[in-house]
């Protein structure tokens, strides 16, 4: 598996920006200055937690796309969307967050089945990470486990929405039965978690 210098830079910037955005969401800037917030112990703890949960969830999601694409003979590289990363950080400051940090772009001859498998690899990776997070939550690391469970379930479910450039649309175009099976373990749990059932 090869990574260009640009790809490594983009992955690192996206990982750090997401960590910052989610940290600011949990440690809001109010009466204190941003310098005070960034220097606080609580911010450092939240930043480390966000890198270990949100950052890892995102990175492994994208790397799963790359691994499967390369397996099918594609040239695949992650590209950060710096505008969306800036919006995510600004949203963290404002108390809301929408994160679309970038995507793996791949090219080469490919079948619809291979394209569908590349797409579903990311959400299924988040399902696996959610299972690991649940185990952590119930045993040795409840805080990390809960945050990891929450973000991975939502990331898997959101990406499997069958709309626009999301993974779900690609999977649905490839195979409706495969989409239904994947949606049952991605969209279903995300809806349950989002609505607090």
């Amino acid at each position: 598996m090869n990574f260009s210098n640009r790809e490594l830079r983009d992955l690192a910037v996206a990982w750090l920006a997401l960590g910052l955005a989610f940290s600011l969401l949990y440690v809001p800037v109010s009466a204190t200055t941003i310098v005070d917030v960034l220097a606080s112990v609580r911010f450092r703890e939240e930043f480390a937690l966000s890198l270990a949960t949100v950052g890892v969830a995102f990175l492994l999601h994208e790397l799963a796309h790359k691994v499967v694409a390369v397996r099918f003979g594609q040239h695949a590289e992650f590209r950060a969307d710096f505008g969306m990363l800036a919006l995510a950080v600004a949203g963290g400051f404002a108390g809301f967050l929408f994160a679309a940090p970038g995507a793996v772009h791949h090219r080469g001859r490919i079948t619809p089945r291979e394209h569908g498998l590349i797409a579903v690899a990311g959400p299924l990776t988040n399902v696996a990470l959610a299972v690991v997070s649940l185990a952590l939550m119930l045993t040795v690391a409840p805080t990390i486990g809960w945050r990891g469970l929450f973000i991975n379930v939502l990331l898997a479910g959101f990406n499997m929405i069958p709309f626009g450039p999301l993974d779900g649309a690609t999977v649905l175009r490839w195979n409706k039965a495969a989409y239904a099976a994947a949606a049952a373990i991605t969209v279903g749990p995300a809806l349950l978690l989002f609505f607090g059932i």
Side-chain angles (χ1 to χ4, degrees):
M1 185 74 56
N2 296 318
F3 295 88
S4 69
N5 289 336
R6 178 181 176 184
E7 183 177 23
L8 291 172
R9 180 206 65 188
D10 280 17
L11 285 165
V13 169
W15 182 49
L16 293 170
L18 285 175
L20 176 61
F22 276 83
S23 301
L24 292 170
L25 188 66
Y26 286 101
V27 187
V29 179
S30 54
T32 58
T33 68
I34 183 60
V35 174
D36 291 335
V37 169
L38 296 178
S40 69
V41 172
R42 184 179 174 204
F43 175 82
R44 291 196 297 271
E45 291 173 347
E46 285 293 343
F47 186 58
L49 182 59
S50 293
L51 289 177
T53 54
V54 177
V56 169
F58 153 74
L59 283 176
L60 294 185
H61 176 106
E62 293 302 331
L63 289 177
H65 289 314
K66 180 181 173 91
V67 166
V68 178
V70 170
R71 170 68 179 81
F72 290 135
Q74 299 281 287
H75 175 78
E77 286 205 11
F78 174 78
R79 289 291 177 261
D81 185 329
F82 294 102
M84 292 304 292
L85 287 171
L87 182 61
V89 173
F93 276 111
F96 71 91
L97 198 55
F98 176 77
V104 167
H105 300 277
H106 55 91
R107 65 179 184 270
R109 298 186 67 176
I110 200 168
T111 67
R113 174 182 175 273
E114 290 169 342
H115 199 190
L117 290 173
I118 292 168
V120 80
L124 292 184
T125 297
N126 291 120
V127 170
L129 289 171
V131 172
V132 172
S133 297
L134 178 61
L136 288 173
M137 185 181 79
L138 297 175
T139 56
V140 295
T143 302
I144 293 174
W146 166 245
R147 184 77 61 86
L149 177 67
F150 182 80
I151 192 64
N152 278 291
V153 167
L154 290 186
L155 190 57
F158 175 77
N159 276 281
M160 283 303 295
I161 295 171
F163 178 76
L166 296 174
D167 297 327
T170 302
V171 177
L172 184 61
R173 282 194 300 272
W174 159 50
N175 187 298
K176 290 181 175 61
Y179 176 80
I185 60 172
T186 55
V187 178
L191 291 173
L192 291 175
L193 184 63
F194 186 78
F195 289 109
I197 299 173

